[in-house]
Amino acid sequence: MFSLLLMLASAAQAEPVVVVSASSSLDALTQDEVRQIFNGQTRRVSGISVKPLDLPSRGSARDDFYQQVLGKSAEQMKSYWARMIFTGRGMPPREVSSDQEMIMLVGSNRNFVGYLDASRVTPDLKVVYRP
């Protein structure tokens, strides 16, 4: 019973947020803009080039992000990208190896857009979308 409560508490705390570099000109994104960026439907927002980054597929943060922001499961997104690659219409976001790599890459490049649990945001990052 106690372990179930711990699992529910940790699941309730998972809050994915979309982040860019603190030096980026982007101040906010709409949910539709986030969807377009992570579906590969746009590479520019407000005239600014954007490059999405994905967390590793083995963690729950990626599943939480896709479910809460895009309304899709990780398996649905995997199928979506398989179709896009097969038809030559797009490539999935670059996958980083960890939260640390996500923080480092997004914090050092004004064009990268990533997502993390809100508790992991550092001063080098700016939150531009919260579900």
Side-chain angles (χ1 to χ4, degrees):
M1 180 72 165
F2 181 70
S3 62
L4 176 63
L5 290 174
L6 283 176
M7 287 176 37
L8 291 173
S10 67
Q13 293 173 347
E15 181 194 3
V17 293
V18 178
V19 294
V20 297
S21 169
S23 63
S24 172
S25 301
L26 285 175
D27 289 323
L29 293 172
T30 66
Q31 184 171 8
D32 194 45
E33 289 170 328
V34 173
R35 278 190 192 128
Q36 291 177 354
I37 291 168
F38 283 91
N39 280 339
Q41 296 170 337
T42 188
R43 299 226 182 264
R44 297 185 80 76
V45 175
S46 302
I48 299 169
S49 177
V50 291
K51 297 177 184 175
L53 298 176
D54 239 345
L55 286 172
S57 60
R58 65 184 180 278
S60 65
R62 185 173 174 162
D63 295 340
D64 292 342
F65 171 74
Y66 280 122
Q67 197 65 53
Q68 290 183 33
V69 178
L70 303 179
K72 306 271 186 195
S73 69
E75 285 302 314
Q76 288 173 314
M77 288 306 296
K78 187 176 177 182
S79 294
Y80 171 81
W81 282 115
R83 283 192 314 273
M84 296 297 280
I85 292 168
F86 182 75
T87 59
R89 294 187 297 169
M91 294 294 292
R94 176 179 163 188
E95 184 176 305
V96 298
S97 62
S98 64
D99 284 359
Q100 295 297 348
E101 186 178 9
M102 177 72 81
I103 292 166
M104 183 190 71
L105 288 176
V106 173
S108 63
N109 186 316
R110 296 165 52 169
N111 299 112
F112 283 136
V113 177
Y115 58 90
L116 293 165
D117 186 80
S119 65
R120 306 279 300 167
V121 175
T122 67
D124 295 337
L125 305 175
K126 181 181 354 176
V127 175
V128 291
Y129 179 76
R130 286 182 188 273

